[in-house]
Amino acid sequence: AEALFETGKGLPAGHYPGMSALSKDKQTLYLFVEGVPTGSIALKGIKNEIARIRVVGEGTILPHTIYNKLYWSDRPGIIYIDVPKEKLDKQMTVIAVLLNKPLELYRENVGAIENNL
């Protein structure tokens, strides 16, 4: 219920390969994981720091790892969330990602190459 009621539109395309929702205060991101994933769950372009990640309805705290984050760059890394197979629902698992402040996304403006020199 917490992930469906009192939530709004989730992440735009390219940040998470599934359905998502965002709480009204924009500090909790709900990721809907269908079936059993073959590996870690990946999130791209999240500028925020993560306070904690948990399985909704069950409460298990999940670990995460951030790769490809360079200390000198403003580009965020890719967040990988590992969910133990015994914590997954056969049809749909909901993961809550609690952020340190309202969601900020990294969106790169891609355009035509004007000069190759």
Side-chain angles (χ1 to χ4, degrees):
E2 90 178 71
L4 297 175
F5 302 110
E6 304 289 326
T7 59
K9 186 176 178 182
L11 296 172
H15 291 279
Y16 173 67
M19 298 179 292
S20 62
L22 191 60
S23 64
K24 274 192 173 182
D25 67 357
K26 298 188 182 332
Q27 285 191 245
T28 305
L29 180 63
Y30 297 100
L31 307 175
F32 298 91
V33 181
E34 292 185 57
V36 179
T38 57
S40 299
I41 298 165
L43 273 175
K44 298 178 186 176
I46 309 293
K47 286 183 171 182
N48 302 64
E49 290 183 27
I50 295 174
R52 74 175 167 265
I53 302 172
R54 65 181 170 82
V55 177
V56 174
E58 199 233 6
T60 301
I61 303 296
L62 301 174
H64 71 282
T65 309
I66 300 174
Y67 289 105
N68 301 331
K69 171 63 181 136
L70 303 172
Y71 71 91
W72 48 264
S73 175
D74 65 337
R75 292 182 181 196
I78 301 172
I79 301 164
Y80 290 97
I81 304 166
D82 292 317
V83 185
K85 291 202 184 272
E86 64 271 5
K87 301 299 178 185
L88 290 167
D89 185 82
K90 291 177 185 173
Q91 295 177 340
M92 182 78 67
T93 306
V94 182
I95 308 289
V97 180
L98 181 62
L99 306 170
N100 64 334
K101 58 185 178 182
L103 178 67
E104 290 182 44
L105 294 176
Y106 177 81
R107 301 292 286 178
E108 186 175 32
N109 291 330
V110 180
I113 297 174
E114 295 180 12
N115 189 350
N116 252 353
L117 298 176

